[in-house]
Amino acid sequence: KDIQKRLRDEIKSSHLSQKEIAERLGVNPSTISKYLRLDKFPAIDTFANLCEVLDVSADEILGLKK
């Protein structure tokens, strides 16, 4: 859950709308909503792309980098 919370925090602080993030990833905006509600974690390829869109290191989200 810590990983999901860090991902949620990064999405919220990105200043991008759920719709903008979804468009950049090629997913439905409801998928981003599920990430924010901690209902779902992205597939590894989507996670990598999401980190790129959010301009955040995957290591940071995964808790490998402080």
Side-chain angles (χ1 to χ4, degrees):
K1 288 283 185 193
D2 287 343
I3 293 170
Q4 286 178 288
K5 287 179 183 175
R6 284 191 290 271
L7 181 61
R8 177 183 61 194
D9 291 345
E10 288 295 334
I11 291 171
K12 286 182 176 182
S13 68
S14 72
H15 305 294
L16 296 170
S17 71
Q18 290 180 38
K19 183 179 178 185
E20 288 173 306
I21 294 170
E23 286 174 355
R24 291 181 188 195
L25 292 176
V27 299
N28 193 299
S30 67
T31 301
I32 306 303
S33 178
K34 289 177 184 176
Y35 301 158
L36 289 169
R37 288 194 318 263
L38 309 180
D39 290 344
K40 183 177 183 174
F41 191 78
I44 194 72
D45 57 333
T46 304
F47 174 70
N49 291 333
L50 182 54
C51 287
E52 194 171 299
V53 167
L54 298 174
D55 193 30
V56 65
S57 162
D59 285 351
E60 198 170 318
I61 299 293
L62 296 172
L64 302 174
K65 186 178 179 182
K66 305 254 178 197

